Amino acid sequence: MTVYEHFRPEERVFIDHILDMKERVIERYTPRLTDFLDPRQQRILTSLIGGEDGIRLSLCGGYEHAERKRALLLPPYIEEQGELFRLAYLEVHYPDRFGSITHPELLGSLTGMGVSRDKIGDLLLESGKVQFICTQELASYFALNLTSVGKMRVSCISIKSEDLLHSENKWQEFEGTVSSLRLDTVLSEIYRLPRAKASEAIAHERAKVNWEIVDKRDFDVHAGDCLSLRGFGRSKIISCDGLTKKNKIRIQYGKLK
């Protein structure tokens, strides 16, 4: 049995990257820092390295409830320090009397500047404030070049970590049953849609599993997966709890409030 058998085929490139980092830390005794990882990638990383002798693993996204985090792999003799994560915190100023900025608009503007999503952490939007976290080397680039979000003219300034909005995702939990763990079937249950409509949305690349677009309706989902359907919000599979008497699968899931 190989390590890959525990994960999905499309995750093999990421697994190889982590195993290479692990080998470098062990052989060269030097710290290694990842880009921002989504929660699924963090779970994979922890399962591959979490109990490894000779390596200390630490995750940081800038605040306590951060979703996207950078991982630091340390040899045992190096002390962990916050600055080793090389995070930057920025705030976007705009004339809110003319409108507001949405999460998709902000993300689209940032990645539209030629920056990989892996270099950007959480986007924080609350009570008229707009902030985001990124790798340290991109802070000055965004401060100078982020001048618009959507149709809104904006400016961007660096802030301190203590000035961040400390928001935590709030999930409303539900229970349901599905005939299978196919993506179209699960989305149909969670969002109360006809299965044909869920399948159509998947075919039009409106569905994501663990932050990646999935266009196959028969894609199998698992406990711990984060799902989203454009126009319907985000959800996650909390657990799969066996079969009913009619051979349906019991699932517990959460929907982002």
Side-chain angles (χ1 to χ4, degrees):
M1 180 179 292
T2 69
V3 66
Y4 304 111
E5 295 180 29
H6 300 287
F7 305 100
R8 292 172 172 147
E10 63 270 19
E11 294 169 333
R12 181 165 186 157
V13 172
F14 176 72
I15 292 167
D16 286 341
H17 175 61
I18 295 303
L19 293 176
D20 180 65
M21 291 182 72
K22 170 183 171 181
E23 185 176 342
R24 288 171 183 265
V25 174
I26 293 173
E27 291 183 354
R28 302 182 185 181
Y29 302 100
T30 55
R32 302 292 294 180
L33 179 64
T34 71
D35 287 332
F36 286 97
L37 307 177
D38 63 44
R40 170 70 180 177
Q41 292 171 321
Q42 293 167 37
R43 286 193 292 272
I44 294 172
L45 173 66
T46 301
S47 70
L48 293 173
I49 294 181
E52 180 70 36
D53 291 338
I55 295 182
R56 287 187 295 120
L57 171 63
S58 186
L59 297 160
C60 182
Y63 65 106
E64 183 180 359
H65 300 297
E67 182 175 86
R68 296 176 62 82
K69 299 176 182 180
R70 301 189 82 175
L72 186 62
L73 282 63
L74 288 169
Y77 65 89
I78 295 181
E79 292 186 10
E80 178 187 327
Q81 298 175 6
E83 59 266 25
L84 290 177
F85 288 96
R86 299 186 58 78
L87 302 176
Y89 315 96
L90 296 106
E91 187 165 280
V92 179
H93 291 173
Y94 66 100
D96 56 2
R97 64 185 180 277
F98 296 129
S100 60
I101 290 175
T102 66
H103 189 288
E105 287 173 340
L106 177 57
L107 182 59
S109 294
L110 296 176
T111 56
M113 296 169 69
V115 176
S116 168
R117 181 68 177 98
D118 296 340
K119 303 293 183 181
I120 303 167
D122 283 8
L123 313 184
L124 306 172
L125 295 84
E126 188 176 295
S127 304
K129 277 195 172 184
V130 176
Q131 301 172 344
F132 66 95
I133 302 167
C134 67
T135 58
Q136 206 171 78
E137 64 269 19
L138 286 173
S140 59
Y141 175 74
F142 283 132
L144 287 171
N145 295 289
L146 184 63
T147 57
S148 65
V149 174
K151 296 180 180 180
M152 196 82 68
R153 298 294 295 176
V154 305
S155 60
C156 183
I157 63 167
S158 292
I159 59 173
K160 297 179 179 179
S161 60
E162 52 263 35
D163 295 325
L164 282 175
L165 298 166
H166 285 240
S167 58
E168 180 181 10
N169 287 337
K170 295 179 174 60
W171 299 88
Q172 187 173 5
E173 295 187 7
F174 300 89
E175 293 181 350
T177 60
V178 290
S179 57
S180 74
L181 291 174
R182 285 169 46 124
L183 181 59
D184 57 351
T185 304
V186 173
L187 291 180
S188 175
E189 162 65 25
I190 291 175
Y191 297 110
R192 298 293 189 262
L193 295 171
R195 185 166 164 181
K197 187 171 183 180
S199 296
E200 181 183 4
I202 294 167
H204 286 86
E205 299 188 345
R206 295 173 188 155
K208 291 184 179 181
V209 178
N210 298 323
W211 299 270
E212 296 289 339
I213 292 174
V214 174
D215 59 5
K216 297 178 180 178
R217 62 184 183 179
D218 59 350
F219 184 90
D220 282 335
V221 300
H222 303 281
D225 283 348
C226 184
L227 315 177
S228 64
L229 189 63
R230 191 186 309 164
F232 291 88
R234 284 172 52 189
S235 58
K236 64 179 180 180
I237 307 299
I238 299 171
S239 64
C240 303
D241 302 316
L243 299 176
T244 68
K245 292 180 179 179
K246 295 183 178 180
N247 283 326
K248 287 203 168 186
I249 303 167
R250 294 188 183 92
I251 61 170
Q252 186 177 10
Y253 58 91
K255 294 175 73 174
L256 196 60
K257 291 184 179 180

